[in-house]
């Protein structure tokens, strides 16, 4: 393999301990689809669940049997976090990502069953196709859900409206929405926050509630509830119908491919609007000793963003 390749065979599988279980997630570093990579926000998400599952809303006794749908699941990390807490999870993505997602679901489900025979530790998890805004796909998963989850599902402004429509169509009055997001573009971040705050009751998870190791200044977790007073569910259904009629809906995959290289490294903002330079922050914290696996991933992410805009002439 060429020496200048960022992806190598060692990046094709991610081993991750989740709630005491050794899970393995295959990814495809050579794919052009963004969904075939384990993004760091999904790791932060499951480690947050792990830290907060002993009491409160995320303890297994309260989550057992709850219906969960994961949007833009990619490799399926976040969905397994909820399934291991007793939820019945439908993890979804586009048809191009589905073979990899199904492989991860089948392999990890089988491994958990073999290591814990007769145990009911795992709720259930299945992988299905769901294109945002597709009315048939939405009906097929039988909404509403108790929880809607997603990590790193938005990379450009034009993905926000289809995501919003789909969330509304999958929601009921008591649905809780859990989203993890790594800030890569302040313009996308600000528009996303405005959309969330206009349509949901939004809470930002404090860093103190996250795992002390698996967190990063640019990765945020949101807990949101549907604002029933706005009447958005009906309007979302109407917009989906209209899009299906006029045939103007662009698929999430097409938009991802068009904008795969359009996200600048830039600055990083927190929920209150304070701006920091992520790359400078990382550089000042480079340890003298050996990097942990998580730190290696974070520095690799930084390097990839820096190299993405380098043009060799």
């Amino acid at each position: 393999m060429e020496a200048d390749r960022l992806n190598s065979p060692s990046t094709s599988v991610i081993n991750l301990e989740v709630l005491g279980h050794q899970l393995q997630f295959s990814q495809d570093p050579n794919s052009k689809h963004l969904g075939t990579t384990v993004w760091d926000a999904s790791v932060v998400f499951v480690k947050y669940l792990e830290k907060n599952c002993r009491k409160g809303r995320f303890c297994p006794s309260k989550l057992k049997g709850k219906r969960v749908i994961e949007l833009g699941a990619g490799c399926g990390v976040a969905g397994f976090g909820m399934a291991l807490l007793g939820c019945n999870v439908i993890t979804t993505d586009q048809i191009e990502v589905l073979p990899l997602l199904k492989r991860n679901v089948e392999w990890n489900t089988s491994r958990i069953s073999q290591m814990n025979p007769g145990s009911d530790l795992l709720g259930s998890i299945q992988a299905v196709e769901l294109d945002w805004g597709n009315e048939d796909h939405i009906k097929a998963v039988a909404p509403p859900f108790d929880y809607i989850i997603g990590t790193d599902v938005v990379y450009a402004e034009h993905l926000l409206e289809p995501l919003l429509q789909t969330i509304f169509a999958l929601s009921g009055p008591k649905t809780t929405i859990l989203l993890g997001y790594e800030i890569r573009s302040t313009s996308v971040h600000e528009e996303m926050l405005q959309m969330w705050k206009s349509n949901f009751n939004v809470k930002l998870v404090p860093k103190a509630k996250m795992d002390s190791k698996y967190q990063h200044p640019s990765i945020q977790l949101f807990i949101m509830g549907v604002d029933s007073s706005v009447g958005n569910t009906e309007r979302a259904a109407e917009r989906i119908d209209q899009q299906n009629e006029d045939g103007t809906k662009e698929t999430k995959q097409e938009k991802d491919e068009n904008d795969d290289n359009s996200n600048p490294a830039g600055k990083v903002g927190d929920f209150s609007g304070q701006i920091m330079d992520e790359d400078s922050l990382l550089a000042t914290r480079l340890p003298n000793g050996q990097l942990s696996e998580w730190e290696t991933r974070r520095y690799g992410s930084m390097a990839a963003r820096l190299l993405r805009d380098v043009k060799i002439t």
Side-chain angles (χ1 to χ4, degrees):
M1 181 172 290
E2 300 87 354
D4 59 348
R5 287 283 296 276
L6 287 176
N7 291 323
S8 66
S10 63
T11 63
S12 62
V13 174
I14 299 295
N15 294 300
L16 183 65
E17 181 179 339
V18 180
L19 293 159
H21 298 273
Q22 293 293 335
L23 304 183
Q24 186 179 94
F25 295 95
S26 296
Q27 58 177 7
D28 185 357
N30 299 313
S31 169
K32 294 182 179 180
H33 200 293
L34 297 174
T36 59
T37 297
V38 175
W39 297 103
D40 288 347
S42 64
V43 179
V44 172
F45 181 92
V46 295
K47 289 298 183 177
Y48 164 73
L49 293 177
E50 189 175 75
K51 180 177 178 178
N52 294 274
C53 69
R54 294 189 178 183
K55 60 180 180 179
R57 71 167 75 194
F58 298 119
C59 68
S61 62
K62 292 187 177 180
L63 285 180
K64 188 174 179 60
K66 297 293 186 182
R67 297 190 71 224
V68 177
I69 188 164
E70 181 181 12
L71 300 177
C75 299
V77 175
F80 260 98
M82 296 296 281
L84 284 169
L85 292 172
C87 298
N88 296 320
V89 179
I90 298 178
T91 184
T92 72
D93 213 310
Q94 293 179 297
I95 190 66
E96 295 81 5
V97 182
L98 214 56
L100 181 65
L101 179 58
K102 285 185 174 181
R103 186 195 319 165
N104 285 333
V105 167
E106 292 168 0
W107 194 94
N108 286 299
T109 299
S110 175
R111 178 176 175 83
I112 293 170
S113 299
Q114 291 175 6
M115 298 298 293
N116 303 274
S119 172
D120 61 350
L121 292 174
L122 185 71
S124 67
I125 183 167
Q126 58 176 311
V128 303
E129 178 187 5
L130 194 154
D131 287 318
W132 297 350
N134 185 306
E135 188 176 5
D136 292 335
H137 291 177
I138 290 170
K139 287 181 178 179
V141 296
F145 289 84
D146 297 300
Y147 287 88
I148 299 172
I149 67 172
T151 56
D152 267 346
V153 293
V154 174
Y155 296 87
E157 289 92 337
H158 54 238
L159 299 175
L160 291 170
E161 180 65 19
L163 174 60
L164 179 66
Q165 295 172 16
T166 303
I167 288 175
F168 282 142
L170 295 168
S171 298
K174 296 183 179 181
T175 298
T176 298
I177 302 152
L178 305 174
L179 295 178
Y181 176 74
E182 179 167 356
I183 305 167
R184 296 176 174 85
S185 164
T186 53
S187 61
V188 175
H189 178 62
E190 290 166 2
E191 186 170 338
M192 181 191 73
L193 285 182
Q194 185 57 47
M195 185 180 75
W196 294 154
K197 291 188 285 187
S198 298
N199 294 280
F200 304 103
N201 299 313
V202 182
K203 292 183 179 180
L204 177 68
V205 174
K207 297 296 183 183
K209 290 284 188 179
M210 298 182 190
D211 183 279
S212 59
K213 176 182 177 181
Y214 293 95
Q215 59 172 268
H216 189 269
S218 68
I219 298 177
Q220 298 180 335
L221 300 179
F222 298 94
I223 300 177
M224 307 191 299
V226 176
D227 189 348
S228 58
S229 64
V230 182
N232 289 306
T233 304
E234 293 77 7
R235 291 208 302 268
E238 292 173 0
R239 288 197 294 268
I240 291 174
D241 290 341
Q242 181 61 40
Q243 283 188 335
N244 289 337
E245 289 172 3
D246 62 25
T248 60
K249 180 173 72 67
E250 186 179 4
T251 69
K252 178 173 178 284
Q253 180 194 12
E254 290 168 342
K255 292 171 183 173
D256 278 350
E257 290 174 348
N258 291 337
D259 292 279
D260 192 14
N261 296 316
S262 65
N263 303 311
K267 302 283 186 175
V268 181
D270 65 13
F271 191 68
S272 63
Q274 181 180 3
I275 303 297
M276 67 183 73
D277 188 316
E278 180 192 2
D279 296 340
S280 296
L281 182 63
L282 279 171
T284 60
R285 293 183 177 178
L286 181 63
N288 295 323
Q290 186 177 2
L291 294 177
S292 68
E293 182 179 350
W294 172 249
E295 289 167 334
T296 301
R297 285 179 62 82
R298 292 311 309 162
Y299 283 106
S301 177
M302 181 186 75
R305 289 198 302 277
L306 292 173
L307 290 171
R308 178 180 54 205
D309 296 325
V310 173
K311 295 181 180 180
I312 300 175
T313 59

